[in-house]
Amino acid sequence: MAYFLIDSLKTQTYDALVVGSGISGGWAAKELTQQGLRTLLLERGRPVNHVTDYPTALLNPWELEHRGQVPLAVRNEYSIASRNYAFHEDTMHFFAKDSEQPYVQEKPYDWIHGYQVGGRSLTWGRQTQRWSDFDFEGPARDGYAVDWPIRYTDIAPWYSHVERFVGITGHKDGLPTLPDGEFLPPHEMSCVEKYFKQQVATRHSDRHVIIGRAAHITEPKPIHLQQGRARCQHRTLCERGCPYGGYFSSNASTIPWAMRTGKLTLRPHSVVHSIIYDEQKGLATGVRVIDTQTHQMTEYYARIIFLNASALHTNLILLNSTSHRFPNGLGNDSGLLGTHMAFHSYRGRVTATYDGFLDSTTDGRRPNSSYMPRFRNVFKQETDFLRGYAATFYSSRGQIDNQEGVGATLKQNLLNSQPGEWQVGSAMMAETIPKAQSTVRLDPVLKDNFGIPQLRVSVDYDDNDRKILKDFFEQFTEMYTQAGFKNIRAIDTGRLPGSENHEMGGVRMGRDSRTSLLNRWNQLHHCPNVFVTDGACMTSTSTQNPSLTYMALTARAAHYAVRQMKAKNL
Ligand SMILES: Cc1cc2nc3c(=O)[nH]c(=O)nc-3n(C[C@H](O)[C@H](O)[C@H](O)COP(=O)(O)OP(=O)(O)OC[C@H]3O[C@@H](n4cnc5c(N)ncnc54)[C@H](O)[C@@H]3O)c2cc1C
């Protein structure tokens, strides 16, 4: 018997465990296996292989049973996910149903998941901007959250490391607020976007309209070809899964790369229940995993554990990891686990029309838009609200159909539709302030389908968010008016917190174990072989889309972990 036990312990023991195979988990798996660690990647969802498991990727619109629409009965099963802009008939298989993700909304909150290998890397919008010291120094300067334990110079080489592998299109704009990266050739701005850029620049030296930076290969480098990825085909069908690997997903890039090392074991259908803590060692020794098909629980062991289950799930796993030493969740001596949650406010939109440039139009499909980095309260506090917002700027000409006449005349008229006037718009992406009362906690009674406590989410907008929204409306209405745009509409979309998919916090980084959970290397202060490198680690949110920063922090932490293992410190 004893031999059997040893054998089974052996098969369940690895050098490293990674929980979650989405954007950040894919990076953890890649970096750890490349440095020689036998790594087990645990994923609660089903397998999704690159190319072969993208069932709609090459379908024409008329080949979709409902022409892209989702029938009401099906939509009702996805009442939360279906509010997401990317949820359609051709993408819905990459979103989780309500029944798969029961949670308690103490305040309305859209928690959107992709329960599959690759997580939300399959459906993300691919916008990737670096942070600068205006972001890392924000909490210390403006007196909220806690000071980040790192600065731009700590992470800059890791941004470069990630960008080269991912493939980021962008233009070197030389802006102090939005550091340049390792860019592939940029997409082109339309004539109206260039015009607006110039209009804004003539009135505001600190406001910049630039082409967006996005995870699309506009010109493959050898490192992308080695991954089997090719140039973006500009189909803008990205959320179906890209068979060309033209945009970055874990499935096209990091996971197959890690597989090639021969060091990766990928275990789908494996929901991590909790982390096992050994009081004698003062370290975590493994995780408890429930097989989602058999409901059997198994334990897996390793010297280090990376939590990359996405921000709220990572909070849940830690809160559910109780022991004699940590009765309130692993590493939670400060009592701050699950507090100071934050997100990005996407509530604002300003649209307009423009009747200039009627001799020009756009051609093809650009999987990107123009972008305005934050300009409020950057160099000094200038408003009655903290922080600020970035925004997109997009433009296109719609088609005007002439439906006059009957018979042959009508046919002729319909075949000769003309471009209409320019439609322009901006969507706000605002920072929210992490607060002690913005929390996720375990429900004491309610459980999910696997007997794991449900999460109670209590996150909401506050006065600062309302002031930011008002300012966004005022500033963009003014800039649009000055540019000669017409029919300007300021729209409060009423989007709920969480709906932007940028959930962050709960396990924040900091300098002091009394006021934070993680140190500057993303290690739990009180359980140093557990690393948290998804959105849960974020001390503040700033305005940039966050995934590039999760990837860079993950790569940085993985290299540190391996160095510490080699030095026998872990
Ligand atoms: C439509 C859309 C547009 C977006 N646009 C952008 C954008 O433009 N730019 C940007 O930066 N971000 C964008 N995002 C957000 C981006 O997708 C997330 O920030 C990113 O995926 C987070 O990475 P992650 O590794 O933390 O989590 P995910 O990618 O969500 O992966 C987490 C994985 O963990 C698994 N998991 C969860 N719990 C467990 C458990 N207990 N045990 C085992 N496995 C578990 C999940 O099934 C999932 O596969 C967008 C998201 C969506 C849906």
PDB file of all heavy atoms in Angstrom, residues 417-434:
ATOM      1  N   SER A 417     -25.876  52.409 -52.697  1.00  0.00           N
ATOM      2  CA  SER A 417     -25.919  53.156 -51.436  1.00  0.00           C
ATOM      3  C   SER A 417     -24.685  54.066 -51.364  1.00  0.00           C
ATOM      4  O   SER A 417     -23.627  53.748 -51.901  1.00  0.00           O
ATOM      5  CB  SER A 417     -25.964  52.197 -50.247  1.00  0.00           C
ATOM      6  OG  SER A 417     -24.775  51.474 -50.172  1.00  0.00           O
ATOM      7  N   GLN A 418     -24.843  55.188 -50.720  1.00  0.00           N
ATOM      8  CA  GLN A 418     -23.794  56.206 -50.653  1.00  0.00           C
ATOM      9  C   GLN A 418     -23.292  56.343 -49.221  1.00  0.00           C
ATOM     10  O   GLN A 418     -24.055  56.143 -48.278  1.00  0.00           O
ATOM     11  CB  GLN A 418     -24.371  57.572 -51.083  1.00  0.00           C
ATOM     12  CG  GLN A 418     -24.841  57.607 -52.509  1.00  0.00           C
ATOM     13  CD  GLN A 418     -23.687  57.402 -53.475  1.00  0.00           C
ATOM     14  OE1 GLN A 418     -22.612  57.978 -53.299  1.00  0.00           O
ATOM     15  NE2 GLN A 418     -23.880  56.549 -54.465  1.00  0.00           N
ATOM     16  N   PRO A 419     -22.013  56.705 -49.067  1.00  0.00           N
ATOM     17  CA  PRO A 419     -21.549  56.941 -47.698  1.00  0.00           C
ATOM     18  C   PRO A 419     -22.256  58.139 -47.078  1.00  0.00           C
ATOM     19  O   PRO A 419     -22.457  59.162 -47.739  1.00  0.00           O
ATOM     20  CB  PRO A 419     -20.053  57.202 -47.851  1.00  0.00           C
ATOM     21  CG  PRO A 419     -19.777  57.325 -49.281  1.00  0.00           C
ATOM     22  CD  PRO A 419     -20.965  56.885 -50.064  1.00  0.00           C
ATOM     23  N   GLY A 420     -22.642  58.002 -45.800  1.00  0.00           N
ATOM     24  CA  GLY A 420     -23.281  59.109 -45.094  1.00  0.00           C
ATOM     25  C   GLY A 420     -22.233  60.019 -44.477  1.00  0.00           C
ATOM     26  O   GLY A 420     -21.042  59.903 -44.776  1.00  0.00           O
ATOM     27  N   GLU A 421     -22.656  60.927 -43.586  1.00  0.00           N
ATOM     28  CA  GLU A 421     -21.661  61.799 -42.960  1.00  0.00           C
ATOM     29  C   GLU A 421     -20.867  60.996 -41.929  1.00  0.00           C
ATOM     30  O   GLU A 421     -21.223  59.876 -41.588  1.00  0.00           O
ATOM     31  CB  GLU A 421     -22.324  63.041 -42.363  1.00  0.00           C
ATOM     32  CG  GLU A 421     -23.377  62.742 -41.341  1.00  0.00           C
ATOM     33  CD  GLU A 421     -24.139  64.003 -40.929  1.00  0.00           C
ATOM     34  OE1 GLU A 421     -23.740  65.113 -41.282  1.00  0.00           O
ATOM     35  OE2 GLU A 421     -25.142  63.834 -40.227  1.00  0.00           O
ATOM     36  N   TRP A 422     -19.812  61.589 -41.444  1.00  0.00           N
ATOM     37  CA  TRP A 422     -18.947  60.898 -40.478  1.00  0.00           C
ATOM     38  C   TRP A 422     -19.640  60.788 -39.123  1.00  0.00           C
ATOM     39  O   TRP A 422     -20.248  61.752 -38.663  1.00  0.00           O
ATOM     40  CB  TRP A 422     -17.633  61.669 -40.304  1.00  0.00           C
ATOM     41  CG  TRP A 422     -16.712  61.536 -41.469  1.00  0.00           C
ATOM     42  CD1 TRP A 422     -16.652  62.338 -42.568  1.00  0.00           C
ATOM     43  CD2 TRP A 422     -15.728  60.513 -41.668  1.00  0.00           C
ATOM     44  NE1 TRP A 422     -15.691  61.904 -43.445  1.00  0.00           N
ATOM     45  CE2 TRP A 422     -15.094  60.773 -42.909  1.00  0.00           C
ATOM     46  CE3 TRP A 422     -15.296  59.413 -40.933  1.00  0.00           C
ATOM     47  CZ2 TRP A 422     -14.069  59.974 -43.416  1.00  0.00           C
ATOM     48  CZ3 TRP A 422     -14.281  58.619 -41.437  1.00  0.00           C
ATOM     49  CH2 TRP A 422     -13.680  58.894 -42.668  1.00  0.00           C
ATOM     50  N   GLN A 423     -19.540  59.616 -38.530  1.00  0.00           N
ATOM     51  CA  GLN A 423     -19.995  59.400 -37.153  1.00  0.00           C
ATOM     52  C   GLN A 423     -18.729  59.306 -36.303  1.00  0.00           C
ATOM     53  O   GLN A 423     -17.811  58.552 -36.643  1.00  0.00           O
ATOM     54  CB  GLN A 423     -20.747  58.069 -37.018  1.00  0.00           C
ATOM     55  CG  GLN A 423     -21.787  57.807 -38.084  1.00  0.00           C
ATOM     56  CD  GLN A 423     -23.038  58.626 -37.857  1.00  0.00           C
ATOM     57  OE1 GLN A 423     -23.411  58.862 -36.718  1.00  0.00           O
ATOM     58  NE2 GLN A 423     -23.668  59.080 -38.936  1.00  0.00           N
ATOM     59  N   VAL A 424     -18.687  60.079 -35.243  1.00  0.00           N
ATOM     60  CA  VAL A 424     -17.515  59.998 -34.350  1.00  0.00           C
ATOM     61  C   VAL A 424     -17.990  59.709 -32.928  1.00  0.00           C
ATOM     62  O   VAL A 424     -19.176  59.916 -32.608  1.00  0.00           O
ATOM     63  CB  VAL A 424     -16.683  61.308 -34.363  1.00  0.00           C
ATOM     64  CG1 VAL A 424     -16.151  61.610 -35.737  1.00  0.00           C
ATOM     65  CG2 VAL A 424     -17.502  62.480 -33.823  1.00  0.00           C
ATOM     66  N   GLY A 425     -17.076  59.244 -32.093  1.00  0.00           N
ATOM     67  CA  GLY A 425     -17.477  58.967 -30.715  1.00  0.00           C
ATOM     68  C   GLY A 425     -16.283  58.707 -29.813  1.00  0.00           C
ATOM     69  O   GLY A 425     -15.179  58.411 -30.286  1.00  0.00           O
ATOM     70  N   SER A 426     -16.526  58.843 -28.525  1.00  0.00           N
ATOM     71  CA  SER A 426     -15.504  58.558 -27.519  1.00  0.00           C
ATOM     72  C   SER A 426     -16.145  57.804 -26.362  1.00  0.00           C
ATOM     73  O   SER A 426     -17.227  58.172 -25.905  1.00  0.00           O
ATOM     74  CB  SER A 426     -14.897  59.856 -26.969  1.00  0.00           C
ATOM     75  OG  SER A 426     -14.101  60.461 -27.960  1.00  0.00           O
ATOM     76  N   ALA A 427     -15.469  56.765 -25.909  1.00  0.00           N
ATOM     77  CA  ALA A 427     -15.931  56.014 -24.738  1.00  0.00           C
ATOM     78  C   ALA A 427     -14.957  56.284 -23.598  1.00  0.00           C
ATOM     79  O   ALA A 427     -13.739  56.239 -23.785  1.00  0.00           O
ATOM     80  CB  ALA A 427     -15.977  54.527 -25.045  1.00  0.00           C
ATOM     81  N   MET A 428     -15.501  56.590 -22.436  1.00  0.00           N
ATOM     82  CA  MET A 428     -14.677  56.935 -21.269  1.00  0.00           C
ATOM     83  C   MET A 428     -14.144  55.670 -20.576  1.00  0.00           C
ATOM     84  O   MET A 428     -14.843  54.673 -20.474  1.00  0.00           O
ATOM     85  CB  MET A 428     -15.551  57.711 -20.272  1.00  0.00           C
ATOM     86  CG  MET A 428     -14.852  58.110 -19.003  1.00  0.00           C
ATOM     87  SD  MET A 428     -15.984  58.830 -17.797  1.00  0.00           S
ATOM     88  CE  MET A 428     -16.718  57.362 -17.088  1.00  0.00           C
ATOM     89  N   MET A 429     -12.908  55.755 -20.096  1.00  0.00           N
ATOM     90  CA  MET A 429     -12.326  54.664 -19.297  1.00  0.00           C
ATOM     91  C   MET A 429     -11.715  55.310 -18.065  1.00  0.00           C
ATOM     92  O   MET A 429     -10.600  55.836 -18.119  1.00  0.00           O
ATOM     93  CB  MET A 429     -11.263  53.942 -20.119  1.00  0.00           C
ATOM     94  CG  MET A 429     -11.859  53.316 -21.378  1.00  0.00           C
ATOM     95  SD  MET A 429     -10.663  52.653 -22.523  1.00  0.00           S
ATOM     96  CE  MET A 429     -10.027  54.138 -23.237  1.00  0.00           C
ATOM     97  N   ALA A 430     -12.495  55.334 -16.975  1.00  0.00           N
ATOM     98  CA  ALA A 430     -12.094  56.129 -15.809  1.00  0.00           C
ATOM     99  C   ALA A 430     -11.563  55.268 -14.680  1.00  0.00           C
ATOM    100  O   ALA A 430     -12.003  54.137 -14.474  1.00  0.00           O
ATOM    101  CB  ALA A 430     -13.285  56.944 -15.315  1.00  0.00           C
ATOM    102  N   GLU A 431     -10.626  55.853 -13.940  1.00  0.00           N
ATOM    103  CA  GLU A 431     -10.099  55.203 -12.737  1.00  0.00           C
ATOM    104  C   GLU A 431     -11.166  55.251 -11.647  1.00  0.00           C
ATOM    105  O   GLU A 431     -11.884  56.247 -11.523  1.00  0.00           O
ATOM    106  CB  GLU A 431      -8.839  55.974 -12.278  1.00  0.00           C
ATOM    107  CG  GLU A 431      -8.231  55.430 -11.002  1.00  0.00           C
ATOM    108  CD  GLU A 431      -6.779  55.865 -10.802  1.00  0.00           C
ATOM    109  OE1 GLU A 431      -6.211  56.535 -11.686  1.00  0.00           O
ATOM    110  OE2 GLU A 431      -6.214  55.518  -9.749  1.00  0.00           O
ATOM    111  N   THR A 432     -11.290  54.177 -10.875  1.00  0.00           N
ATOM    112  CA  THR A 432     -12.111  54.252  -9.664  1.00  0.00           C
ATOM    113  C   THR A 432     -11.184  54.047  -8.465  1.00  0.00           C
ATOM    114  O   THR A 432     -10.117  53.437  -8.580  1.00  0.00           O
ATOM    115  CB  THR A 432     -13.246  53.211  -9.634  1.00  0.00           C
ATOM    116  OG1 THR A 432     -12.681  51.909  -9.460  1.00  0.00           O
ATOM    117  CG2 THR A 432     -14.103  53.248 -10.892  1.00  0.00           C
ATOM    118  N   ILE A 433     -11.617  54.575  -7.344  1.00  0.00           N
ATOM    119  CA  ILE A 433     -10.762  54.569  -6.154  1.00  0.00           C
ATOM    120  C   ILE A 433     -11.061  53.316  -5.317  1.00  0.00           C
ATOM    121  O   ILE A 433     -12.211  53.084  -4.937  1.00  0.00           O
ATOM    122  CB  ILE A 433     -11.041  55.836  -5.299  1.00  0.00           C
ATOM    123  CG1 ILE A 433     -10.842  57.107  -6.149  1.00  0.00           C
ATOM    124  CG2 ILE A 433     -10.174  55.847  -4.043  1.00  0.00           C
ATOM    125  CD1 ILE A 433      -9.442  57.340  -6.656  1.00  0.00           C
ATOM    126  N   PRO A 434     -10.028  52.494  -5.049  1.00  0.00           N
ATOM    127  CA  PRO A 434     -10.259  51.314  -4.192  1.00  0.00           C
ATOM    128  C   PRO A 434     -10.581  51.760  -2.763  1.00  0.00           C
ATOM    129  O   PRO A 434      -9.839  52.567  -2.193  1.00  0.00           O
ATOM    130  CB  PRO A 434      -8.917  50.579  -4.226  1.00  0.00           C
ATOM    131  CG  PRO A 434      -8.090  51.257  -5.252  1.00  0.00           C
ATOM    132  CD  PRO A 434      -8.623  52.632  -5.435  1.00  0.00           C
TER     133      PRO A 434
END
